[in-house]
């Protein structure tokens, strides 16, 4: 019980920090909207083509948008000394990483999840695809935050982390994207989407177990 | 401030402890490697309850490294750290609880007010009576008036005081202070001397790295550069 309260305090701390820095929380969603809005301009207003691309483009946009805030996930706390205090706090670094990932999901993943159907509408995603899009985003975005937190922890203390994080984390996002877009395709063609959702859930379970342990090890290395 | 329960009592073989009532923090035969440079070797120290240890030495002699080692953030290359007679690595959670660390960086957040930062430190350590402890810590450092001010408007000296207030609010048994007087004016230095004296009176331990002479009664001095390995010593 006490652990949960402490965990909640850490999540709330990060939520407040992000919300109060204003621009940060809105940037990811705006970036998402702008990137996806470029697609019709780039490929032309052909409704048939757009509706075929819609699921994939929304997912690519969401993955890129989620990257934006990741490089600062631990970097700022490391630079201003707060990470030392978190490491000496009541919870082990594994829990700190989980709390950071949870706060990242609430400030980035959740807004992306809400914006995704609207952007899909703009790209003429057929009606059959919205349920699958929402389901894949709901399972996929927490996995994005967890995997991203692992990537961010590896880059604590590195110069130019912002560029490196894309190189490190995007390949790890590939399975998520493949299963998610596969699920949307399946829904559009009338096949069951369950297998893809289960595979996505598997990715989530894997990231939820590996990311805290591996990320905490990386953070300990960075704090030496 | 509520004094912490003696946390050596929990260890099973407390009966045959060599240091029965007053737990001692000691380091034995410690060596530290930074990059490929051996910073110090065969370093030993001991601080008893109520004691203070001042680390002296040139830049790069390893004062900060030693403090981070004692905090448990930097594992020693060789040697070990003991609380009472139990190695600190045996129970990292208990060790984290007893360590209050003031590093070079103050951990001040631009978006948080002074009160929020200090009361978060207090609540994370112990949710009971957190707000009164935070208020008391602010008053002790003479920054009660800064309570509603966000971190972005604080001067360097004020940030240092906020960090000290956070340390005080945590209520840890062992204080590790890295150049605690940097940025502090004369009144704040006096406040620091007062809270350190009170902490030691309550059975707390203090290890501080400093260039300034700190006038703490009964404090021992450890010259860290004496433990520099002769071959690579940066004299």
């Amino acid at each position: 019980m006490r652990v949960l309260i402490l965990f909640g305090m850490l999540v709330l701390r990060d939520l407040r920090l992000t919300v109060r820095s204003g621009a940060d929380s809105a940037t990811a969603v705006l970036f998402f909207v702008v990137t996806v809005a470029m697609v019709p301009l780039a490929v032309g207003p052909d409704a048939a083509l757009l509706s075929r691309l819609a699921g994939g483009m929304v997912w690519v946009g969401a993955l890129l948008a989620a990257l934006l805030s990741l490089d600062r996930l631990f970097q700022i706390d490391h630079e201003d000394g707060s990470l030392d205090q978190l490491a000496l706090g009541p919870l082990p670094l594994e829990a700190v990483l989980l709390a950071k990932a949870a706060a990242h999901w609430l400030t980035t993943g959740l807004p992306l999840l809400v914006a995704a159907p609207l952007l899909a509408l703009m790209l003429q995603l057929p009606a059959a695809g919205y349920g699958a899009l929402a389901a894949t985003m709901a399972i996929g975005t927490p996995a994005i935050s967890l995997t991203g937190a692992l990537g961010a922890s590896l880059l604590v203390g590195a110069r130019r982390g912002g560029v490196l994080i894309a190189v490190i984390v995007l390949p790890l996002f590939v399975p998520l994207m493949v299963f998610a877009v596969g699920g949307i395709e399946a829904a559009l063609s009338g096949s069951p989407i369950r297998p893809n959702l289960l595979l996505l859930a598997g990715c989530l379970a894997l990231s939820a177990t590996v990311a805290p342990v591996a990320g905490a090890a990386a953070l300990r290395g960075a704090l030496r | 401030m509520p004094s912490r329960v003696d946390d050596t009592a929990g260890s099973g073989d407390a009966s045959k402890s060599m240091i029965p009532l007053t737990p001692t923090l000691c380091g034995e035969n410690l060596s530290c490697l930074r990059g490929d440079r051996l910073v110090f070797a065969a370093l030993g120290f001991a601080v008893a309850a109520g004691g203070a240890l001042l680390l002296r030495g040139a830049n790069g002699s390893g004062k900060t490294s030693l403090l981070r080692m004692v905090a448990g953030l930097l594992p020693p290359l060789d040697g070990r750290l003991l609380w009472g007679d139990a190695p600190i690595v045996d129970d990292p959670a208990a060790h984290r609880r007893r360590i209050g660390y003031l590093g070079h960086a103050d951990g001040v957040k631009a978006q948080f007010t002074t009160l929020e930062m200090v009361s978060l430190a207090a609540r994370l350590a112990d949710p009971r009576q957190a707000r009164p402890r935070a208020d008391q810590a602010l008053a002790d450092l003479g920054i009660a008036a800064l309570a509603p001010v966000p971190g972005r408007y604080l001067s360097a000296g004020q940030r240092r005081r906020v960090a000290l207030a956070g340390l005080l609010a945590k209520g840890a048994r062992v204080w590790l202070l890295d150049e605690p007087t940097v940025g502090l004016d004369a009144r704040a230095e006096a406040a620091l001397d007062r809270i350190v004296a009170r902490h030691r009176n309550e059975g707390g331990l203090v290890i501080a790295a400093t260039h300034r002479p700190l006038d703490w009664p009964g404090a021992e001095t450890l010259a860290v550069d004496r433990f520099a390995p002769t071959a690579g010593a940066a004299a």
Side-chain angles (χ1 to χ4, degrees):
Chain A
M1 190 60 204
R2 176 160 155 70
V3 172
L4 284 180
I5 294 173
L6 291 168
F7 186 81
M9 280 186 205
L10 289 185
V11 175
L12 204 61
R13 166 192 183 272
D14 266 42
L15 282 182
R16 282 206 187 127
L17 282 173
T18 312
V19 169
R20 288 195 197 166
S21 55
D24 272 13
S25 43
T27 311
V29 177
L30 286 177
F31 180 88
F32 185 35
V33 172
V34 172
T35 11
V36 177
M38 302 268 258
V39 175
L41 299 174
V43 303
D46 176 1
L49 179 62
L50 281 180
S51 67
R52 257 190 343 122
L53 293 176
M57 289 321 296
V58 169
W59 256 90
V60 169
L63 290 177
L64 294 177
L67 274 184
L68 282 184
S69 48
L70 277 177
D71 64 316
R72 291 188 302 275
L73 200 56
F74 296 104
Q75 192 64 31
I76 295 180
D77 280 339
H78 180 58
E79 281 165 7
D80 71 13
S82 317
L83 197 57
D84 287 340
Q85 301 302 335
L86 290 175
L88 293 171
L91 291 176
L93 277 171
E94 285 80 1
V96 172
L97 188 129
L98 271 181
K100 287 258 175 199
H104 180 265
W105 182 77
L106 287 169
T107 52
T108 306
L110 194 58
L112 293 179
L113 174 61
V114 173
L118 300 174
L119 292 173
L121 194 66
M122 191 166 77
L123 296 184
Q124 318 254 4
L125 181 73
Y130 287 92
L133 176 66
T136 54
M137 289 288 285
I139 304 173
T141 46
I144 291 175
S145 292
L146 285 160
T147 313
L150 169 59
S153 68
L154 290 169
L155 289 170
V156 169
R159 298 265 165 255
R160 314 257 316 137
V163 184
L164 267 180
I165 194 151
V167 178
I168 289 185
V169 168
L170 279 178
L172 298 176
F173 285 166
V174 167
L176 292 175
M177 190 179 62
V178 169
F179 298 139
V181 177
I184 299 170
E185 294 288 320
L188 292 182
S189 63
S191 344
I193 64 166
R194 204 175 127 82
N196 279 289
L197 291 186
L198 288 177
L199 285 166
L200 261 184
C203 291
L204 175 58
L206 184 67
S207 59
T209 44
V210 172
V213 178
L219 289 177
R220 285 196 185 96
L223 286 174
R224 285 178 181 191
Chain B
M1 201 173 63
S3 58
R4 286 213 164 270
V5 196
D6 180 2
D7 46 359
T8 47
S11 62
D13 51 357
S15 52
K16 53 179 181 177
S17 159
M18 291 186 296
I19 310 106
L21 270 172
T22 54
T24 307
L25 179 69
C26 55
E28 294 176 351
N29 197 28
L30 295 169
S31 31
C32 168
L33 190 71
R34 300 301 279 164
D36 52 5
R37 187 173 79 98
L38 196 57
V39 182
F40 55 74
L43 185 150
F45 70 88
V47 191
L53 182 68
L54 300 178
L55 308 180
R56 310 303 287 267
N59 296 136
S61 58
K63 300 186 294 293
T64 296
S65 297
L66 180 57
L67 285 178
R68 294 184 76 82
M69 209 175 258
V70 177
L73 294 170
L74 172 64
L77 177 70
D78 193 19
R80 58 183 192 156
L81 286 151
L82 300 170
W83 175 256
D85 56 358
I88 64 165
V89 288
D90 286 359
D91 191 350
H95 190 65
R96 289 201 304 270
R97 218 176 308 127
R98 72 172 81 95
I99 291 294
Y101 177 69
L102 178 83
H104 286 290
D106 297 319
V108 167
K109 290 289 178 191
Q111 301 99 314
F112 280 162
T113 67
T114 300
L115 178 62
E116 281 174 324
M117 286 183 275
V118 176
S119 62
L120 179 67
R123 270 186 296 139
L124 283 174
D126 186 355
R128 288 161 301 175
Q129 299 282 306
R131 180 65 198 273
R133 278 188 293 136
D135 287 336
Q136 185 59 45
L138 290 176
D140 287 344
L141 268 303
I143 47 174
L146 295 179
V149 179
R152 66 167 62 84
Y153 300 121
L154 298 178
S155 75
Q158 288 173 332
R159 288 162 170 264
R160 203 67 179 151
R161 293 199 205 189
V162 172
L164 279 165
L167 172 85
L168 196 55
K170 183 177 176 182
R173 185 81 190 269
V174 179
W175 286 3
L176 306 173
L177 312 176
D178 201 346
E179 299 289 354
T181 57
V182 167
L184 295 185
D185 59 19
R187 281 180 59 190
E189 280 191 33
L192 172 68
D193 289 348
R194 270 198 309 277
I195 63 169
V196 165
R198 192 180 66 200
H199 178 62
R200 291 172 61 194
N201 267 334
E202 289 167 352
L205 291 70
V206 181
I207 303 180
T210 175
H211 288 292
R212 292 261 196 103
L214 285 171
D215 184 22
W216 293 348
E220 290 177 50
T221 301
L222 178 76
V224 179
D225 20 20
R226 275 200 304 133
F227 299 92
T230 40

